[in-house]
Amino acid sequence: MAAYDDTGMTDPATRPHLARLCTAIRRGELHGIVAPSRTDISTFRSAYEDALDTIRTCGGFLALARDETTL
């Protein structure tokens, strides 16, 4: 499943494609999400961590294509 998010730096909780992917994880249709970079989720550390918690709560993972160690 592919998703493209063009909502900019809005709160990840209000982004429809991220919500759709989390729903697919809950249903067992996906195991996780691959994103190019942490900043594709959010440039704000707290919003990124909240989105990561949401994905994990659904039973999934977030993998980053780019190796990043800091925000």
Side-chain angles (χ1 to χ4, degrees):
M1 177 183 297
Y4 174 75
D5 184 359
D6 62 354
T7 56
M9 284 299 104
T10 59
D11 183 345
T14 65
R15 292 157 68 177
H17 293 291
L18 186 56
R20 183 173 65 108
L21 293 173
C22 286
T23 297
I25 291 169
R26 277 189 211 98
R27 290 181 180 160
E29 297 167 3
L30 297 176
H31 298 290
I33 298 170
V34 176
S37 169
R38 288 177 75 136
T39 58
D40 290 304
I41 302 299
S42 181
T43 57
F44 301 104
R45 186 186 256 332
S46 63
Y48 172 80
E49 293 295 333
D50 288 347
L52 189 56
D53 287 342
T54 298
I55 294 165
R56 288 178 177 159
T57 298
C58 294
F61 65 87
L62 174 65
L64 302 175
R66 186 174 11 183
D67 183 24
E68 299 170 328
T69 56
T70 61
L71 275 176

